[in-house]
Amino acid sequence: MSRNFNLIIPLLLIFAGCAGDYLPKPMGYNRIDLPERSFTELENGRPYTFEHSVHALVEADSFNLEQKAWINLNYQKLGGKVHFTYLELDTKGKDIKTVVNDAVNLTAKHQVKAYGIEESVLLTPKGYTGVVAELTGEVPTQFQFFVTDSTRNFLRGALYFETAMKNDSLAPAIEYIKVDMAHLINTLEFKK
């Protein structure tokens, strides 16, 4: 009798556990805690200045160390970097038409994977012209921009993440950095 009882109890537990419909839980995403916004002035030594997030570390561009004006803003906690390239116009064949075409072509290369590219032209408080490109889809860079005074200075920025996550799970971090870049663009000032 006790042997039968030992078999009946596990069977009852199995049947009780299988009652009702089973629905799998949806996939979740990592929680991204966004820091409170605070800005600081870029340190001297470059032909431009702007206010950037205190949460972004200013680093030399490791791919082109001889270009001291090329930098990265490293958002270590968010896993993103904004790469900046600076060009002085009218030197070594770098006229405004050439550098703008190069910047537009760099953005257009992402059309293969991008669902869409939305570009906006803007005028900064200092009177500089800028173009902001927002890319959607599984692209390596979701946000690019350039700002120029059209005569001497050209600054381009592109946001990259160091992760293979889907961009929809990175959306809070992307939006956070885009707002920081809007502040940066509005405080940008060329020194030459």
Side-chain angles (χ1 to χ4, degrees):
M1 173 81 172
S2 69
R3 185 174 194 203
N4 290 340
F5 187 70
N6 288 340
L7 291 174
I8 293 175
I9 296 293
L11 287 174
L12 286 175
L13 290 174
I14 290 171
F15 288 126
C18 293
D21 293 331
Y22 171 74
L23 294 174
K25 290 185 177 185
M27 285 190 59
Y29 296 107
N30 295 335
R31 179 180 167 157
I32 300 174
D33 291 321
L34 301 173
E36 189 174 323
R37 290 193 199 284
S38 182
F39 299 97
T40 186
E41 185 87 17
L42 181 68
E43 56 193 53
N44 291 330
R46 294 177 184 82
Y48 54 85
T49 185
F50 51 68
E51 290 182 9
H52 66 88
S53 174
V54 297
H55 306 290
L57 179 65
V58 178
E59 304 172 331
D61 184 357
S62 59
F63 292 112
N64 202 342
L65 291 173
E66 66 271 1
Q67 294 287 342
K68 301 297 182 201
W70 291 25
I71 62 169
N72 296 324
L73 286 182
N74 188 348
Y75 286 81
Q76 293 173 319
K77 290 184 179 178
L78 300 178
K81 280 188 181 182
V82 182
H83 298 280
F84 289 93
T85 54
Y86 169 81
L87 298 171
E88 188 175 343
L89 299 175
D90 292 330
T91 60
K92 300 177 188 170
K94 296 194 180 352
D95 60 85
I96 187 68
K97 183 178 178 183
T98 302
V99 296
V100 167
N101 283 338
D102 288 347
V104 170
N105 288 337
L106 284 171
T107 303
K109 285 183 180 182
H110 296 286
Q111 286 179 336
V112 174
K113 287 191 153 195
Y115 302 146
I117 299 175
E118 185 177 318
E119 292 183 333
S120 304
V121 178
L122 55 92
L123 188 64
T124 71
K126 297 286 183 186
Y128 308 138
T129 302
V131 173
V132 173
E134 296 185 52
L135 296 85
T136 54
E138 297 306 316
V139 292
T141 176
Q142 302 81 12
F143 186 76
Q144 298 183 19
F145 65 90
F146 68 82
V147 180
T148 182
D149 61 4
S150 300
T151 56
R152 294 189 54 123
N153 301 284
F154 183 89
L155 183 69
R156 180 179 181 277
L159 169 63
Y160 293 93
F161 281 89
E162 301 170 353
T163 179
M165 285 182 158
K166 298 280 186 186
N167 288 341
D168 58 349
S169 63
L170 291 172
I174 293 168
E175 290 302 315
Y176 179 88
I177 295 174
K178 281 171 37 178
V179 171
D180 280 2
M181 291 305 101
H183 180 83
L184 183 148
I185 290 168
N186 284 323
T187 59
L188 173 67
E189 184 172 358
F190 294 116
K191 296 179 181 177
K192 295 181 178 186

